[in-house]
Amino acid sequence: MRILCLHGRGSNNDIFKMQTAGFRSLLDDYEFDFVQGQMPHTEGNWSLHTKDFSSSSLWGYFNLLDLEDIVETEQQVLQLAAENGPYDGILGYSQGATLAAQVLIKDALETAAQDPEHHHPPFKFAIFFNGATPSRVFKVPSKPVPIIPDLTQPLALKFLHAVKANPLLGSTGLYPAAHPTQPGRQMLTDGTLGMMKSDAALDGKLIQIPTLHVRCETDVAEHGEELYNLCDPQLAEQYFHIHKHDFPRGYNEMRGIARLIRQTAERACEL
């Protein structure tokens, strides 16, 4: 089994290899390929693990306020899978899990929709650790009219928090607008591309492959529960830990996670 691994925002391959070493040692017949982000992280060390690597360069995968960058990053992952694959699964933590989910959704809605009979998904299964809710970036048919942002909408709050947290992202051409084809739904747009948060109540089950969701049950819904709801419940397993948004740890947890990863991979092979 070959699995593509994507670290969290503000991390790097060395940190992610350390975080995952416990369960990877129990899956020594699996191959794990780590791909490091290319966007410098400027917000400091927030995690127990990243503080131990305070002298290391920290990275993310995309600028969430740059829609073209998001599209390009998703396409890079799909190109990597095509050129360096085949891969059996994809595994991500936090932003890496979000990117993995967005890649799967993009492939399902765009590539698979064009030729469903001959389509082969880039990954047969996915492992999400504390996966933040994925967004979707799409072309808008005409320049949208700005609206007053509804701060009860999660995407609007996420936008404002990102601008406040990172001074390098303080200038952006994004503005809130109404979705062009879904009345009542809001998006962020640069006038050419739009971005909206995926919502199972509106979009349905967008991920139709076996998935494992490792998350904290008492964390906010945006850090795992909403992503789980976007997946086929007949093909999804969950493992709950107590570490909020930090990475799970401890021998017993690593054993349980390793067992469920193997179970998810085996289920994918049976389909």
Side-chain angles (χ1 to χ4, degrees), residues 28-40:
D28 56 3
D29 53 331
Y30 283 43
E31 179 182 346
F32 295 86
D33 289 349
F34 291 79
V35 177
Q36 189 160 275
Q38 299 178 342
M39 178 184 173

Side-chain angles (χ1 to χ4, degrees), residues 205-218:
K205 306 302 182 184
L206 297 175
I207 298 177
Q208 298 285 332
I209 61 173
T211 56
L212 170 62
H213 304 257
V214 181
R215 64 184 184 90
C216 177
E217 192 172 18
T218 60

